[in-house]
Structures are given as structure tokens and as C-alpha cells.
Amino acid sequence: MNAATPAQGHPVWSLGGTVVRRIDEIVLPPQTGPWLLPEATSAVIDEAAWLRPDFADAGTLLLASHTFAVEAGGLRILVDTGIGNGKARANPAWNGLDTDYLQRLTDAGFPPDSVDLVITTHLHTDHVGWNTHLVDGDWKPTFRHARYLTGRTEWDYWATAEMDEARRQMFRDSVDPVRDSGQCDPLDVPDQGREVADGVRLVPAPGHTPGQVVVEVRGTDRTALITGDSIHHPVQLSHPHLTSRVDTDAQQAVRTRTHLLNTLADTDTLLLGAHFPQPTAGTVRSDGGRFRLSPEPGTEIPPTAA
């Protein structure tokens, strides 16, 4: 299946000595928003006029699947790995994808064999897919020289959770092969966070899943925060109470999101949404008792410049 293809090029945000690049996979279909955030009705979207035109269109939320490639402390770090190619998935929009994601990653200066760390914010299907690719009919780690980092709370939760067949399939093709290769490192992530590279810290963000983390990236000039699925869409800045259909603990997710937004509000920390459509990034600003995203599109770098 060939999904909607994003525009060519990749935006770059420089934090001062540390660089973050967005690596596009697919534009998610229009029905994703109403399914994922069912309480985000047209009336709710209309209450936040700033969502148009970048984040909503005609009362429908716009979403995407992408990952972030980070250069920090001399390491090449990939945060989450998207949906992946050729995977059997219950969601028709994700089933049997055939995209040029790996070429995009290479064009951005991150060929797979150069990646040192893969950080998984949480073990959901659309965040682990490119962990593996097919080699002679078997699923093998895509990033052969990388350590794959996952919070231990997340790892332990799924080790004993009851799963339907679709999730078991995801583990079989995208998680278990990394474990079996010896490349997976479940990490204890205390409340104050854990540094995993120079200027890169994992911080607990439970709710969407029990062991989800967000990723704080610090440069000499500013800091960025990669959301995982603690914030699925910018509408949740204006309405933090909106919960996802697939939250494990919806009320904990609201508490986590509210805490993050209160911490980020009116600072220069760059928020990078795991599913935010272009322009993807921005700062959180107070807005009449709510919050809004003030976009920062980054510098668009064409593939030939990578």
C-alpha cells in the first residue's frame, strides 16, 4: 500500500550544538482524527481558531506519522521509528506500507548503519515499526549498530499484559527481533528523568501507556521536548482534557499533559509533536486561560543538501 507521501525535504531545528531533524513517513488519513480523539468535534476545533490552516481543516484534525533524528554529544539518535514497511496491520492505513522512509532518513544524513541509539517513547504500533525490516524473509533490526532504549516500566507492562492478535503480531515483527538480537536495553527512568546521552534525557510521561516517556533535548541555546503520545495533536493544548481512544489510563494522561503544558507555557522550550502535521514544532503560549502553539517551522533542508 502506498500512503499519502509528505513533501520532500526535512525541517531542521538547531538548539545550539544539537540538531533535531523531522523524518517524514506518511500523512495520516482524515478519519484518523475523529477515531483517535472522538471528543475533538468540529465545535471544539472551532474554539481554537489558531488551529487553522496548519493543524485542522474544515473541522477535521490533521495528523502525520514521522520520527525525529537528533545529533547530540557526537551521537546519532532516532526517537521512535514510525509504522514501518510491509507490516501486517489491522489499521488499513498502516497495513503493508511501502514508503521511502529509509531513503529520507539517509538523505537527512542518518543512514541506518550510522544510528547509535533508538529511543522508543512507548511500545505502540506506530512508534516501533522501523525497528525492523525484512531480510531474506525474516524481520531483522534495521539499525544494526544501535542500542534500542525503552523505559523498563513500559517493557515490564507489555511483558505481562493481555494482548489481542494484532498487538501480538506487532511484537513479533517489530519488538521481539530486537530483543532477540540483544540490542534492547530497558532502562529505569526515575521521576526526575534519566540522561541517556549528552543533553538527551528521558522523562516519565505515563497515561497513554504506563511507561511512556518524553524526550528532552538540550542544546547550548535552547531546549526541545519530543512528546511521544502525551500530546497527540495541538488541539489538546487548548483542551488538555481531550483523551485518546487508546489511552491506557485516560485520567493519568490528562494529568501528565496538563503538567507538561504548565511547565512549558511561556518559555522558549520547543515542543515537537510526534504526530503534529507541518509545521510540527512551536512554543506553548498562554491563551485566555488555555494554551496555544506558536509555530516554529524550522529550516527546510532539501535532500540534496544532506
Side-chain angles (χ1 to χ4, degrees):
M1 173 182 176
N2 290 304
T5 302
Q8 291 298 316
H10 54 272
V12 175
W13 295 271
S14 177
L15 310 177
T18 299
V19 176
V20 181
R21 293 172 166 83
R22 188 188 74 214
I23 312 299
D24 291 329
E25 187 177 28
I26 64 170
V27 175
L28 294 174
Q31 60 268 30
T32 303
W35 174 83
L36 183 66
L37 299 170
E39 295 178 280
T41 62
S42 294
V44 167
I45 294 169
D46 286 344
E47 291 179 27
W50 58 268
L51 289 170
R52 294 189 175 90
D54 294 323
F55 305 120
D57 178 39
T60 299
L61 301 179
L62 305 177
L63 293 120
S65 175
H66 47 248
T67 69
F68 295 100
V70 179
E71 292 179 74
L75 297 179
R76 295 182 179 212
I77 303 166
L78 189 62
V79 179
D80 288 332
T81 65
I83 299 164
N85 273 4
K87 302 292 174 77
R89 297 293 181 251
N91 185 332
W94 300 354
N95 185 53
L97 287 187
D98 181 14
T99 75
D100 62 351
Y101 172 84
L102 287 186
Q103 186 60 53
R104 288 173 178 270
L105 189 64
T106 299
D107 289 344
F110 277 68
D113 283 353
S114 75
V115 174
D116 299 295
L117 293 177
V118 176
I119 296 173
T120 304
T121 60
H122 62 293
L123 294 171
H124 272 179
T125 307
D126 53 331
H127 292 258
V128 300
W130 277 108
N131 280 2
T132 62
H133 65 153
L134 274 177
V135 178
D136 297 329
D138 293 323
W139 294 108
K140 299 293 184 181
T142 305
F143 308 100
R144 298 185 302 161
H145 306 304
R147 305 304 302 174
Y148 287 69
L149 309 183
T150 306
R152 188 178 302 278
T153 298
E154 183 77 356
W155 187 264
D156 289 349
Y157 171 78
W158 291 110
T160 59
E162 291 188 15
M163 302 185 201
D164 61 19
E165 177 54 27
R167 195 173 300 279
R168 287 194 186 96
Q169 176 61 38
M170 178 270 283
F171 270 77
R172 285 195 295 266
D173 61 40
S174 296
V175 178
D176 294 348
V178 177
R179 177 202 62 196
D180 295 344
S181 74
Q183 292 175 247
C184 184
D185 293 331
L187 300 177
D188 293 318
V189 183
D191 290 345
Q192 68 269 26
R194 176 166 178 167
E195 196 99 355
V196 296
D198 187 18
V200 179
R201 187 167 68 110
L202 309 185
V203 180
H208 180 62
T209 64
Q212 178 180 239
V213 297
V214 294
V215 183
E216 181 186 87
V217 182
R218 300 187 311 277
T220 57
D221 296 339
R222 70 189 303 192
T223 298
L225 190 78
I226 299 173
T227 63
D229 280 352
S230 61
I231 306 173
H232 277 99
H233 187 276
V235 71
Q236 292 173 297
L237 274 67
S238 182
H239 297 83
H241 66 280
L242 294 175
T243 57
S244 160
R245 186 183 296 274
V246 289
D247 287 341
T248 300
D249 183 339
Q251 292 312 305
Q252 179 60 58
V254 171
R255 290 192 291 271
T256 292
R257 185 161 45 253
T258 301
H259 172 72
L260 287 175
L261 293 173
N262 283 325
T263 301
L264 297 175
D266 304 315
T267 72
D268 71 345
T269 298
L270 191 67
L271 183 69
L272 292 161
H275 291 297
F276 292 10
Q278 297 183 33
T280 305
T283 52
V284 178
R285 293 289 173 255
S286 299
D287 186 24
R290 295 180 178 177
F291 301 109
R292 62 179 172 82
L293 190 69
S294 179
E296 291 192 26
T299 303
E300 191 77 15
I301 305 297
T304 54

